[in-house]
Amino acid sequence: MDDRLFKELKHIPILCVEDEDGIRENIVQTLEYYFDEVFEAQDGNEAFELYEYYKPKIVLTDIQMKNCDGVELIRKIRQIDKDITIFVLTAYSTEEYLLDLINLNINHFIIKPLNLKKLNEALLKYLDKDLKPIELCKGLVLDIEKREVIYNGNEIISLRKREKDFLQLLVKRKNSIVTYDQIEQELWLEKEMTTHALKSFIKDLRSKLPINIIKNVPQEGYTLIKEGC
């Protein structure tokens, strides 16, 4: 795998859900080669608790499990998160679930047994999706791969990783408000986000951008400005 893509994966948390211990252990060992943070669960109930606590970027789940199966788990996650990437481990015997899974916007199906080739295909698909340039506003494009903003096709503005991640978050939540809690969970990770640190971060980012596209919603968070762009 391309070294640049490999580095991108290292900092992405992933959740593996599989009820058979031996299979899960093998999958987790493989995932740990790519990811620094790999969480594991043996059923949908445990997986949903881990999802709520750790907020992984990717969920890799089996379908047929005791207590809470994969379809129910995905349904619960999709009710509160439309953007998270979900890979489904499936067997031909699970065709009865296919329509439900398609309606739940699954990102990739992996036919059992899982191997490196199938895993690489899924991970590359995730990175290709996540690295596409994003139009923030007319004439203002965010290049995820290069971590730059391009203005009017020629002016290039370099970004720090947190700045790039914040703009991505605004785009993903473009029809809603990105709350202070979401910003802390997504961008500050294990560190505490102080009010001063956040205000200073936003001020510095605004000063870099040729157009103000960041709107503060008092007592709530931030959103992407659409009017006038």
Side-chain angles (χ1 to χ4, degrees), residues 50-219:
L50 292 174
Y51 159 77
E52 288 190 305
Y53 188 81
Y54 290 108
K55 294 294 188 293
K57 300 289 186 182
I58 304 173
V59 173
L60 171 63
T61 182
D62 192 12
I63 292 300
Q64 295 176 313
M65 298 180 292
K66 297 177 181 178
N67 299 327
C68 172
D69 67 24
V71 174
E72 183 58 29
L73 167 65
I74 296 166
R75 185 175 290 115
K76 288 165 69 175
I77 291 175
R78 280 288 184 241
Q79 286 175 351
I80 55 179
D81 192 336
K82 305 296 184 185
D83 301 313
I84 187 172
T85 294
I86 298 177
F87 299 148
V88 166
L89 280 170
T90 182
Y92 291 110
S93 59
T94 60
E95 290 180 358
E96 61 193 279
Y97 300 106
L98 191 58
L99 184 57
D100 285 335
L101 292 170
I102 291 173
N103 290 336
L104 289 170
N105 191 26
I106 301 305
N107 298 93
H108 195 77
F109 292 92
I110 303 175
I111 303 297
K112 290 183 174 182
L114 178 67
N115 57 37
L116 279 177
K117 180 180 179 181
K118 294 175 184 177
L119 180 60
N120 284 350
E121 288 175 355
L123 295 178
L124 285 169
K125 186 174 182 180
Y126 167 81
L127 288 174
D128 287 344
K129 171 186 74 70
D130 208 47
L131 292 175
K132 289 180 180 178
I134 300 170
E135 185 177 62
L136 299 170
C137 184
K138 187 176 181 181
L140 195 65
V141 175
L142 173 63
D143 190 319
I144 301 298
E145 184 176 350
K146 295 181 179 178
R147 204 188 295 170
E148 296 172 342
V149 167
I150 300 94
Y151 182 51
N152 285 338
N154 52 31
E155 182 180 342
I156 297 175
I157 302 143
S158 296
L159 299 173
R160 293 175 293 173
K161 182 179 185 302
R162 184 174 287 171
E163 292 170 338
K164 181 264 294 183
D165 290 344
F166 178 68
L167 292 176
Q168 273 187 281
L169 190 57
L170 288 180
V171 171
K172 287 181 179 180
R173 307 283 194 275
K174 62 183 177 181
N175 295 318
S176 60
I177 297 169
V178 178
T179 67
Y180 298 129
D181 285 343
Q182 288 172 336
I183 294 170
E184 183 171 21
Q185 290 173 3
E186 295 278 347
L187 305 186
W188 260 253
L189 302 177
E190 301 301 323
K191 299 179 181 179
E192 180 183 358
M193 182 187 74
T194 65
T195 301
H196 174 74
L198 178 60
K199 287 184 177 179
S200 177
F201 166 75
I202 297 296
K203 181 180 179 181
D204 289 346
L205 179 55
R206 279 176 170 157
S207 69
K208 286 186 174 184
L209 300 176
I211 304 172
N212 181 26
I213 58 171
I214 304 169
K215 178 182 178 181
N216 177 236
V217 182
Q219 310 301 319

